[in-house]
Amino acid sequence: MFAERTRHLNGSDIRAILKMTEQPGMISFAGGMPAPELFPIEEIQEVSQHVLKHHGKQALQYTITEGFLPLREQIAQRMQVKFDKACSPQQILITSGSQQGIELSGKLFLDEGDVVLCESPSFLGAFQAFRLYNPRFIEVPTDDQGMVMEELTRILETTDRVKLLYVIPDFQNPTGRSWSLARRKELMEIVSHYEIVVVEDNPYGELIYEGDSLPSLASLDQKDQVVFLGSFSKILCPGFRVGWVCASPQWLEKYVMAKQAADTHTSTFCQQVIHSYLERYDLEQNVSKIKDVYRKRRNIMLDVMDREFPETALFSKPGGGLFIWVELPAFVNTREVLAKSLEKGIAFVPGGSFYPNGGHEHAMRLNFSNMSEDKIIEGIPRLAAVIRTFI
Ligand SMILES: Cc1ncc(COP(=O)(O)O)c(C=O)c1O
């Protein structure tokens, strides 16, 4: 009965693993979840009451698809301050998480057989969203500076129907790596010669633990080719499901129409609560608190990994975000490692999930934001012991 386009629709590996992590006592480095103890619950409670008391009729009513204008104004200002991108509120569409921005991008730009270029590895939620439109994925070799530009150029010169390039230049999921400024500039120079949409997915850019942030691709975009996706999920809370698309006014109009068909608009109440939170509290202070906690958790995890992991395990040292990427010797299959480590009460995501064309079964992604320092100190040696039995 199902439409042809659903033939690649299958549940994500991560969902299956996350189900297992619900078992009591499990130490999970698997999900990409924020630390719930850092959610500003009391502030949100106060703001929610304020919104209901003073704007209840509006907050519980339908609204326009574009989103609540005062929130779009606040986001446009933040785009300038945080991502160097000058834009107007008319270039902002509020979405139900940045995941919806990814899905709408697939819907708007991909015909069956079009080519999507992505980093190798990349975010599996994006593969899931794009797969409904039956594209062909080409993974562009990626090193610790970003996509390898010679490879990108070769692929662009030799491949028909490249339509969309999906990248996460800041503290990428799953590797935690960030692109250098040179690569960002080179990328924008190269793609400016092609009719390609660049989807810049940036949920982690503000979670930076050392150094200065680098300009977003959107800020280097001379030809209105970049669609920037932002999110409140990791800087406030993911449960509200509020993110945004920032794009040229012409493209944004299409996103608005596609979103209207999908879900009419993002929750009015959640938008208003975030707007009032930004007015009445200091989001920067909240982000700074989150960064302090995650920086410490990252440091502890890396320290314990340095001590406990075998020398042949290579891992990233991320300057921000939520993840550490581990590569084991090529003969190790981390799906088998996972089966054993779940028996020992430890979960992670096998690296193969992050390659749209498969392979690369010897890597793993570890999350450091969601478990306490004690759990990290307890869990990493247990995981290391399991890994050693495979090497
Ligand atoms: C790279 C990337 N993009 C998008 C998302 C989706 O985030 P949101 O909660 O804003 O939909 C995630 C979530 O983990 C992510 O890692």
Side-chain angles (χ1 to χ4, degrees):
M1 290 297 286
F2 290 114
E4 186 58 18
R5 71 179 157 276
T6 63
R7 71 177 183 271
H8 298 300
L9 201 58
N10 48 20
S12 104
D13 291 0
I14 290 196
R15 293 270 163 267
I17 297 165
L18 288 180
K19 263 227 105 25
M20 305 208 54
T21 65
E22 285 162 13
Q23 291 169 19
M26 182 71 72
I27 297 180
S28 177
F29 305 123
M33 290 203 266
E37 63 274 24
L38 297 176
F39 296 150
I41 294 174
E42 278 174 23
E43 291 89 332
I44 301 264
Q45 191 178 3
E46 192 275 328
V47 164
S48 303
Q49 275 167 358
H50 171 86
V51 166
L52 286 172
K53 188 163 173 199
H54 298 283
H55 311 284
K57 288 183 180 153
Q58 198 190 7
L60 299 179
Q61 188 55 282
Y62 284 116
T63 187
I64 55 169
T65 304
E66 288 85 341
F68 185 48
L69 184 58
L71 178 61
R72 292 164 70 211
E73 286 167 349
Q74 289 165 322
I75 291 171
Q77 275 170 14
R78 283 181 69 78
M79 284 299 298
Q80 174 75 67
V81 177
K82 300 290 170 189
F83 303 106
D84 281 330
K85 172 71 181 170
C87 66
S88 71
Q90 283 64 42
Q91 288 175 258
I92 305 291
L93 162 68
I94 307 290
T95 52
S96 299
S98 54
Q99 184 67 31
Q100 184 174 46
I102 301 173
E103 209 281 329
L104 295 178
S105 303
K107 195 173 266 169
L108 287 176
F109 293 109
L110 296 179
D111 287 313
E112 178 156 2
D114 280 347
V115 171
V116 172
L117 301 183
C118 62
E119 290 153 285
S120 180
S122 186
F123 173 50
L124 89 167
F127 313 150
Q128 273 188 308
F130 292 145
R131 262 199 195 112
L132 265 175
Y133 305 100
N134 289 321
R136 186 156 73 90
F137 290 97
I138 298 185
E139 299 168 39
V140 184
T142 307
D143 62 23
D144 55 9
Q145 307 282 308
M147 269 182 182
V148 178
M149 290 299 134
E150 294 72 24
E151 296 287 344
L152 175 67
T153 306
R154 183 185 56 76
I155 291 166
L156 286 170
E157 282 172 355
T158 55
T159 313
D160 289 334
R161 298 189 60 184
V162 177
K163 195 66 171 294
L164 190 151
L165 183 132
Y166 170 80
V167 282
I168 311 157
D170 291 272
F171 313 120
Q172 200 232 22
N173 183 358
T175 62
R177 293 183 191 130
S178 274
W179 288 40
S180 66
L181 180 58
R183 291 280 175 91
R184 290 169 197 242
K185 288 182 172 166
E186 273 179 89
L187 175 83
M188 292 316 297
E189 161 57 25
I190 292 168
V191 296
S192 71
H193 302 291
Y194 293 87
E195 296 236 307
I196 301 177
V197 185
V198 176
V199 176
E200 177 179 24
D201 189 10
N202 198 330
Y204 304 112
E206 292 187 53
L207 298 184
I208 176 167
Y209 310 135
E210 281 98 27
D212 296 322
S213 58
L214 290 171
S216 60
L217 300 180
S219 73
L220 304 169
D221 179 21
Q222 304 285 333
K223 291 195 142 183
D224 283 346
Q225 272 180 293
V226 176
V227 174
F228 180 101
L229 308 180
S231 176
F232 285 103
S233 288
K234 305 300 182 336
I235 54 173
L236 190 62
C237 55
F240 278 150
R241 310 303 304 127
V242 177
W244 65 92
V245 172
C246 173
S248 71
Q250 293 78 1
W251 282 8
L252 201 87
E253 208 180 314
K254 284 279 195 199
Y255 274 88
V256 172
M257 288 185 236
K259 180 173 166 71
Q260 197 161 60
D263 65 356
T264 315
H265 62 75
T266 294
S267 156
T268 323
F269 179 66
C270 293
Q271 292 187 62
Q272 291 225 5
V273 168
I274 293 184
H275 161 68
S276 288
Y277 176 88
L278 293 176
E279 281 214 317
R280 297 162 72 81
Y281 294 93
D282 186 358
L283 179 62
E284 304 322 311
Q285 213 179 342
N286 190 59
V287 174
S288 163
K289 216 162 72 181
I290 293 172
K291 289 196 317 187
D292 287 345
V293 172
Y294 291 180
R295 185 187 298 107
K296 263 171 89 184
R297 289 182 184 182
R298 177 207 57 176
N299 290 347
I300 286 171
M301 195 181 262
L302 287 173
D303 273 357
V304 185
M305 286 171 75
D306 269 335
R307 270 204 313 274
E308 301 282 340
F309 270 36
E311 264 177 27
T312 46
L314 307 175
F315 45 89
S316 62
K317 310 239 155 125
L322 308 187
F323 306 108
I324 296 171
W325 181 248
V326 185
E327 292 197 6
L328 300 178
F331 58 84
V332 179
N333 184 323
T334 53
R335 291 182 202 271
E336 291 167 16
V337 178
L338 177 65
K340 282 269 176 281
S341 85
L342 285 172
E343 285 171 17
K344 305 279 178 204
I346 310 291
F348 63 85
V349 183
S353 311
F354 301 97
Y355 296 88
N357 301 321
H360 306 266
E361 296 294 351
H362 61 292
M364 58 170 73
R365 189 193 73 179
L366 300 178
N367 165 268
F368 56 80
S369 61
N370 188 246
M371 288 285 119
S372 68
E373 294 175 18
D374 286 350
K375 294 271 189 227
I376 292 171
I377 291 167
E378 183 188 343
I380 292 293
R382 259 203 255 166
L383 174 60
V386 173
I387 290 172
R388 282 180 185 282
T389 65
F390 283 83
I391 290 180

